[in-house]
Amino acid sequence: MLKRLLSKPWGQEIAAFLALLYVESVRRSIRWEVRNGEYVQRVWDENLPILGCVWHGRVLMALQAWNQHYDRMVALASRSREGDIGSRFARWYKVGLVRGSSRNARKPEASKGGEAAYRAMVNHLSQGGSGAVTPDGPRGPRMRAGYGAIRMARDTGVPIVPVTWSTRRKTVLHKAWDKHCLPHFFTRGVIIWGDPIHVAKTATAEEMEAARLLLETRLNEMTREADEAVGGEIVEPDSEVRPGTGALAGAREATP
């Protein structure tokens, strides 16, 4: 029944509004610490473009981390029902959204609108805007990065900036593929920004794969640091390797 309700526009609107109430009330009740935020503050102060990357399971408090210049940010969301609700949620913050996701490596014939969404993101970044993507979305494996953000950074010259968060008390949805994290009210939280990752326009296959692996490794290290810093439950990456990654895949991605 819930799925049927969420397939209706009015049901999605209600779900988005309830999510807004939860996010706004819980994030304001948490005692936040921000680590390594000097670079992103300069980005906001000087209106510089960046491509923010956060794991799918940590998107809920992404707007607490990215707490300035919402109107300069465009996020990438899938064409799923979840993406429908997300687009309605993002509208409350005046965050732009492009819809589409990469092809399923197991179903290459099925179009998800990924190329059109990719071009829209590249155009926005190239014109000086900023973007946000979940490098393990929309279907995982959890905390395993694909090449989408790496390609965008290569094609625009815009640096990737990883970001993550955790709270001392949170509910982890263990049955969800991304082990989505729901922070509790009135607890301690930490936001960690990573150093920028640059990808050259002339990046070779090996450099593309190295950049992808660097993003994945750095974001996982930051996420563990955040979980350990607050003493909360630690969420581990999926043991499965991301389909379509590795040296051979890097060779394909290195071709403009």
Side-chain angles (χ1 to χ4, degrees), residues 68-89:
Q68 299 179 45
H69 295 195
Y70 291 151
D71 58 334
R72 292 187 62 241
M73 194 243 287
V74 166
L76 182 63
S78 69
R79 292 182 175 179
S80 64
R81 184 183 298 116
E82 180 186 71
D84 291 337
I85 297 171
S87 67
R88 296 173 187 276
F89 175 83

Side-chain angles (χ1 to χ4, degrees), residues 165-227:
W165 63 270
S166 188
T167 53
R168 181 175 182 82
R169 290 185 288 113
K170 62 180 180 288
T171 297
V172 179
L173 303 181
H174 289 281
K175 291 186 178 180
W177 70 264
D178 60 354
K179 293 193 183 296
H180 210 84
C181 296
L182 305 177
H184 293 187
F185 289 87
F186 304 106
T187 187
R188 177 189 169 208
V190 61
I191 293 166
I192 301 179
W193 289 92
D195 294 331
I197 298 172
H198 298 269
V199 183
K201 289 185 179 294
T202 57
T204 64
E206 292 78 11
E207 290 168 337
M208 291 288 286
E209 171 59 17
R212 184 203 67 79
L213 189 58
L214 175 61
L215 172 60
E216 179 178 292
T217 302
R218 185 172 293 175
L219 202 42
N220 281 335
E221 289 174 349
M222 290 164 50
T223 301
R224 172 171 278 274
E225 178 187 344
D227 286 341

Side-chain angles (χ1 to χ4, degrees), residues 83-151:
D84 291 337
I85 297 171
S87 67
R88 296 173 187 276
F89 175 83
R91 188 184 63 212
W92 291 94
Y93 294 93
K94 296 182 172 58
V95 171
L97 213 68
V98 295
R99 306 290 300 277
S101 55
S102 57
R103 293 177 185 269
N104 189 331
R106 300 182 179 92
K107 299 178 181 178
E109 73 285 351
S111 175
K112 301 287 186 178
E115 285 307 312
Y118 178 83
R119 289 193 297 271
M121 288 289 289
V122 166
N123 288 338
H124 177 73
L125 292 169
S126 298
Q127 292 169 10
S130 288
V133 299
T134 54
D136 60 342
R139 57 186 164 271
R142 177 183 66 260
M143 300 166 72
R144 298 298 183 188
Y147 286 104
I150 307 304
R151 288 176 60 205

Side-chain angles (χ1 to χ4, degrees), residues 47-62:
N47 290 328
L48 302 175
I50 61 170
L51 181 59
C53 285
V54 60
W55 289 136
H56 198 277
R58 307 275 171 153
V59 296
L60 211 53
M61 291 291 109

